[in-house]
Each structure stands twice: as C-alpha cells, then as structure tokens.
Amino acid sequence: MRGWLAAHPHDRPGAKGAIRQRHRIDSARAKMATSQGGIQGYTGVAAVDRKHQILVDAHAHGTESEQEILLPLVTAIRPLLTKDSRMTADAGYHRDAHLQELAALPVDALIADHAMRKRDDRVATQARHQHKPDPLHNTTHVKQPPAVFQPDNFTYDAEARTCVCPAGKALYRKGKTLVTKGFVSEQCRGAKRDGAPCA
C-alpha cells in the first residue's frame, strides 16, 4: 500500500472539487451506486448519429456523474461536425460551463434544462410513469406509523385527573403521581369490561 501511495501521490479530484475515492488495482474506475449496491466501475457515454443510427464516438470514464464527460466527447467528435450538424443532450448535462463551451461552436447545440418537462404539456402525465425512488440515493427517513397508541391519541383532563382513550372510554387514575428523570406523570387504567371487547 505504501508503494502504491508513493506512485500515486496526488488525490483524484471530482467534478465539484471533492476527493474521489480510487481503487488500488484500477485507479481510473470510480465507486458507483447501483440497484445491487455499490460497485467499482465506469460511466459510459456515446455520441450517436441520429440520421444514420450509428455510434460515432464513445467514452468510458471513472466517474459516477456523467456531466463532466460531455465536453471531452464533444471535443472528440468536432472533426465530424458540419455546418448543418446539431447536437442534443438531456437535462443531466445542463451546466453553465457546458452551455458556454457549446455556444462557442459553429454548430447548434441544444441541452434541455431541468424544468423543461414541467413546462411541456406533452409530458403532463409523466408522474405516473416514474420509477420509485432509488433506495441507494434516497436517504430521507420515512416515518413509519407507530405500532401502539401515542400520548396524542388520549385526552387528559388535568382537573379531574382522568384520561379518555381513543375508543372514547374513561380511564381512571391508578396510584400516586410518578416522577421519572424530572418528568411528572400519572398512570391511568380502564375497566376490564371496556378493554376486553375493544378491537
């Protein structure tokens, strides 16, 4: 490992300046999230001649994001472009740096922006066709419904010192007031005749 680090002294920066993790055996590939979990691999991008339905160039890069691959691909196909050529790319490539570089080319270049589909009536029903969020990328906590009743489900009468359960039955105070870690609480219980038949 010391020998490998000595041969590769510089960190590999990502597109946004963060350090990109490298694989010891193949330092060009990148860590990627897939539906089967994390893997070490490459992102492949191809340029296609729409009229003739052939690939005119393809690149494999060790990066999880394909955004940074657009300009190297455009550079590679520049000798093939004519004044009648038109390049298109999807919204995943929409960045200011890309727009500025493509604006300097002598051909038309179109990149969809991220809000295009929201403005397009032709895809107004797109939501029903979308996949569920990828669990590898969606890390938001999904709140599960509690398995038991919570305090909010009960109505407490501080003056009478009684509770009403979610089924509307009165619960009666049991024993003395409890103090646990500085919190004052009271115990209530219901009649057996109410609890036994209750769903």
Side-chain angles (χ1 to χ4, degrees), residues 90-147:
D90 63 38
Y93 296 100
H94 193 275
R95 294 171 70 179
D96 288 342
H98 292 164
L99 298 176
Q100 292 170 10
E101 290 274 346
L102 296 175
L105 295 179
V107 297
D108 289 338
L110 308 173
I111 302 181
D113 65 82
H114 299 290
M116 188 196 80
R117 287 183 174 269
K118 294 180 180 178
R119 300 189 304 268
D120 194 339
D121 293 335
R122 293 173 298 175
V123 289
T125 60
Q126 65 175 328
R128 68 181 181 189
H129 303 292
Q130 290 178 346
H131 295 293
K132 293 180 180 178
D134 188 338
L136 288 170
H137 296 286
N138 182 15
T139 57
T140 40
H141 177 69
V142 179
K143 191 173 182 180
Q144 299 292 337

Side-chain angles (χ1 to χ4, degrees), residues 27-110:
S27 62
R29 61 185 174 179
K31 185 178 181 182
M32 301 180 176
T34 72
S35 57
Q36 277 74 43
I39 64 166
Q40 292 281 340
Y42 294 86
T43 296
V45 175
V48 181
D49 183 329
R50 181 181 177 188
K51 182 177 179 180
H52 299 98
Q53 293 292 298
I54 58 171
L55 296 177
V56 293
D57 201 88
H59 286 242
H61 286 246
T63 169
E64 185 174 4
S65 170
E66 59 188 27
Q67 286 189 348
E68 60 192 276
I69 309 175
L70 179 64
L71 295 180
L73 189 68
V74 170
T75 302
I77 65 171
R78 282 191 73 169
L80 305 174
L81 301 176
T82 68
K83 61 181 179 64
D84 298 320
S85 298
R86 175 179 289 171
M87 289 187 295
T88 61
D90 63 38
Y93 296 100
H94 193 275
R95 294 171 70 179
D96 288 342
H98 292 164
L99 298 176
Q100 292 170 10
E101 290 274 346
L102 296 175
L105 295 179
V107 297
D108 289 338
L110 308 173

